[in-house]
Amino acid sequence: MSNHNIVGVGGLAVSKNPAESIKTFALGSCVAVIMLHPPTRSVGMVHVALPDSAVARGSANDRPGYFADTGIPVLLKEMAKIGANSPGNKGMVVKLAGGAKVLDPNNIFNVGKRNILAIKKILWSLGMGAVAEDLGANFSRTVSVEVKTGRITISSPGKKDWQI
Amino acid sequence: MTTQITHDEILAAIKKVPLIPTSGTQLLQLANQKDHNLTDIINIIKCDAALTGYILKTVNSAAMSRGKEITSLDRAVSLVGEDMILSIVFSEAAAQLFHADLDGYAANQGDLWRHNLRSAIAAKKIAPYAKLEVNPDTAFTCGLMHDLGKAIISHYLEGTTEEMVAAVDHGDFKDYSVAEHEKIGFNHSEIGFELAKHWGLPEPLPSVIRYHHHPQEGNIELQPLLFVVHLADIVSMMTGSGTGADSMRHSIDPAYSDYIDLSRDDIARIIFEVEIEFNTIMSSLSGEGEPK
């Protein structure tokens, strides 16, 4: 059995301990951004809940992982602290899961969609792009990553587990 | 496979649930009154020795008392405020239901409590955006109680999760709550309504419990409050506090915009503020952290 690092809403974790895994529960419109760094066999995850930290009016520093614009840079920083960095972020493998849909014709509650767009834009500005994703749809996802293999397992009540 | 259950079976199941103490019902009534204050709350709790003891014990937990022992109820209530007191009271007074495992939804331990609490906080934060006045404290208590029917229906839904999920995702039913009604004859809102009546909960609680997924079916004068709780429930599911299989499988009624005036920035701000308050209350109530 591996040790789970549990990532809460707006939290993040990094690890290169092959006995560990990183797990986050019940992503609704939130998105798990997962980074894998093959050269150092390191893994990181941030649980993003909102696209833009401007709404936090200065208190985003307490919880940078909560927002796409602050969460992704801080995950990169934490990855670098365990040695997982390369010039221009080349060699960083990014995968995304979550961002479930709320069908709102008023375009207010479709936070999942706005999270996904914000994350992709920020990744792109940092020279990265997601190579795999499991996004949208109408169910919640629990996501775990095994540090040893980088294997990502997604589970959702009433469905068989799957991998990306 | 699922079997239909009868109204009598539901009533029999509800009768087995312990009643909530009189002080609990009185607090719910009080929260409904616009001009209540902390003294009114203290006066109700004072008459219930068990509740007073429990509140002092919780408030004296390390996180809240900061090392100084609090021995008076007045001090405890004014220190932590109304939302925290109501959370402590109902977490204890209806523990069997609030902390029930929802196996019928394949949920994680503690999901129902986290969902109800996050919905309560979200309802209170959304209430000021209603176009007609909605009492934020009423919204809080309605959010806290809205899904209690799940604690009872869960037993009847055990073993149905895969089938239900597949049927909803295939489009056989409009949402999970319609699926519940079609498959077993009742949904969690209808059962919650019966429970609320049995407990003698004051209106608008029974109505809000009954119509939180389909607010337009409720009375006209309750529309603003119904939509507030309807949206709070969706926010709670969106932000990581669902109850398993039905999470994100309930649709939003877009008519909310007739009653509630929200922008994208408003909802983002609400989500963040709810997160902060939710974590404050959760960390103060012992043993209720993240699922493991």
Side-chain angles (χ1 to χ4, degrees), chain A:
Chain A
M1 283 298 284
S2 62
N3 300 319
H4 284 315
N5 286 305
I6 307 293
V7 175
V9 184
L12 64 88
V14 296
S15 173
K16 54 178 179 181
N17 179 347
E20 289 184 344
S21 63
I22 300 176
K23 186 172 189 176
T24 200
F25 286 91
L27 295 157
S29 56
C30 303
V31 179
V33 180
I34 298 146
M35 293 189 184
L36 312 169
H37 190 252
T40 56
R41 300 193 80 94
S42 307
V43 169
M45 181 199 284
V46 60
H47 181 137
V48 171
L50 288 171
D52 190 346
S53 63
V55 297
R57 292 172 174 157
S59 57
N61 287 342
D62 305 340
R63 203 178 271 259
Y66 208 78
F67 306 95
D69 61 333
T70 46
I72 292 171
V74 92
L75 178 60
L76 280 169
K77 224 177 261 175
E78 291 301 313
M79 291 290 277
K81 279 188 194 164
I82 59 166
N85 60 343
S86 352
N89 300 317
K90 290 204 169 40
M92 195 70 88
V93 178
V94 183
K95 299 188 180 186
L96 306 175
K101 213 186 304 189
V102 172
L103 278 181
D104 177 11
N106 307 313
N107 278 323
I108 303 291
F109 281 80
N110 49 0
V111 176
K113 188 175 153 190
R114 294 205 293 280
N115 280 336
I116 294 165
L117 289 173
I119 287 165
K120 290 189 170 176
K121 206 171 132 189
I122 290 151
L123 286 173
W124 183 77
S125 74
L126 294 166
M128 295 182 287
V131 297
E133 54 185 47
D134 186 72
L135 298 167
N138 64 330
F139 49 84
S140 82
R141 294 165 173 87
T142 289
V143 180
S144 66
V145 198
E146 215 176 65
V147 176
K148 191 178 169 195
T149 58
R151 202 170 285 146
I152 297 168
T153 304
I154 302 175
S155 63
S156 183
K159 290 176 169 290
K160 289 200 170 67
D161 293 358
W162 66 101
Q163 295 188 330
I164 59 166

Side-chain angles (χ1 to χ4, degrees), chain B residues 250-267:
Chain B
H250 295 284
S251 38
I252 197 167
D253 183 341
Y256 73 81
S257 59
D258 295 341
Y259 301 96
I260 295 157
D261 193 10
L262 279 171
S263 71
R264 289 178 178 193
D265 278 356
D266 293 333
I267 198 63

Side-chain angles (χ1 to χ4, degrees), chain B residues 158-232:
Chain B
E158 271 176 42
T160 69
T161 309
E162 278 183 40
E163 186 192 342
M164 295 277 283
V165 160
V168 175
D169 291 356
H170 186 252
D172 299 350
F173 305 107
K174 181 173 151 265
D175 59 33
Y176 212 90
S177 130
V178 172
E180 287 169 2
H181 184 90
E182 293 302 316
K183 288 278 180 184
I184 65 169
F186 290 88
N187 61 36
H188 67 274
S189 314
E190 293 160 336
I191 293 177
F193 174 69
E194 296 292 347
L195 173 70
K197 281 198 301 186
H198 177 66
W199 274 355
L201 298 187
E203 279 291 348
L205 277 156
S207 296
V208 173
I209 290 171
R210 183 168 190 168
Y211 299 115
H212 68 272
H213 285 300
H214 305 120
Q216 293 193 60
E217 291 170 19
N219 288 357
I220 290 173
E221 76 270 21
L222 283 180
Q223 291 300 299
L225 174 64
L226 280 166
F227 272 101
V228 164
V229 178
H230 175 65
L231 295 181

Side-chain angles (χ1 to χ4, degrees), chain B:
Chain B
M1 285 302 288
T2 47
T3 36
Q4 296 270 322
I5 43 175
T6 64
H7 194 238
D8 286 347
E9 280 177 90
I10 293 296
L11 292 182
I14 285 170
K15 279 189 186 137
K16 284 186 202 152
V17 175
L19 292 171
I20 53 168
T22 317
S23 51
T25 324
Q26 286 171 338
L27 283 171
L28 291 171
Q29 243 147 10
L30 183 68
N32 257 335
Q33 293 165 13
K34 229 164 112 184
D35 300 317
H36 67 276
N37 57 38
L38 287 179
T39 313
D40 303 326
I41 292 179
I42 292 163
N43 287 337
I44 291 173
I45 296 172
K46 256 200 300 217
C47 303
D48 186 329
L51 205 52
T52 303
Y54 186 71
I55 286 173
L56 287 174
K57 189 180 126 209
T58 310
V59 173
N60 276 308
S61 71
M64 277 191 271
S65 69
R66 297 182 193 93
K68 286 181 199 156
E69 200 188 349
I70 294 157
T71 49
S72 100
L73 181 67
D74 298 35
R75 176 96 183 83
V77 172
S78 52
L79 180 72
V80 300
E82 180 168 342
D83 292 357
M84 182 78 86
I85 290 297
L86 288 175
S87 305
I88 295 171
V89 167
F90 290 101
S91 169
E92 173 66 5
Q96 192 185 329
L97 292 189
F98 271 123
H99 301 283
D101 286 334
L102 301 182
D103 292 338
Y105 291 86
N108 287 312
Q109 206 186 356
D111 273 357
L112 181 60
W113 172 247
R114 284 188 291 269
H115 175 68
N116 279 334
L117 179 62
R118 196 187 281 270
S119 302
I121 301 165
K124 187 165 182 165
K125 302 268 183 204
I126 294 171
Y129 294 86
K131 293 177 184 176
L132 297 167
E133 193 180 358
V134 171
N135 177 353
D137 294 322
T138 303
F140 184 90
T141 56
C142 288
L144 198 62
M145 313 299 270
H146 80 282
D147 255 353
L148 275 186
K150 283 182 179 169
I152 293 166
I153 201 177
S154 173
H155 165 72
Y156 301 99
L157 292 172
E158 271 176 42
T160 69
T161 309
E162 278 183 40
E163 186 192 342
M164 295 277 283
V165 160
V168 175
D169 291 356
H170 186 252
D172 299 350
F173 305 107
K174 181 173 151 265
D175 59 33
Y176 212 90
S177 130
V178 172
E180 287 169 2
H181 184 90
E182 293 302 316
K183 288 278 180 184
I184 65 169
F186 290 88
N187 61 36
H188 67 274
S189 314
E190 293 160 336
I191 293 177
F193 174 69
E194 296 292 347
L195 173 70
K197 281 198 301 186
H198 177 66
W199 274 355
L201 298 187
E203 279 291 348
L205 277 156
S207 296
V208 173
I209 290 171
R210 183 168 190 168
Y211 299 115
H212 68 272
H213 285 300
H214 305 120
Q216 293 193 60
E217 291 170 19
N219 288 357
I220 290 173
E221 76 270 21
L222 283 180
Q223 291 300 299
L225 174 64
L226 280 166
F227 272 101
V228 164
V229 178
H230 175 65
L231 295 181
D233 182 26
I234 301 265
V235 163
S236 188
M237 290 188 263
M238 283 167 59
T239 51
S241 296
T243 53
D246 75 320
S247 195
M248 304 303 287
R249 287 190 174 90
H250 295 284
S251 38
I252 197 167
D253 183 341
Y256 73 81
S257 59
D258 295 341
Y259 301 96
I260 295 157
D261 193 10
L262 279 171
S263 71
R264 289 178 178 193
D265 278 356
D266 293 333
I267 198 63
R269 204 174 303 116
I270 288 166
I271 286 173
F272 187 58
E273 287 172 8
V274 170
E275 185 70 38
I276 306 286
E277 188 169 339
F278 174 76
N279 283 304
T280 305
I281 296 185
M282 286 300 282
S283 62
S284 305
L285 297 170
S286 53
E288 292 288 342
E290 291 280 330
K292 292 282 178 294

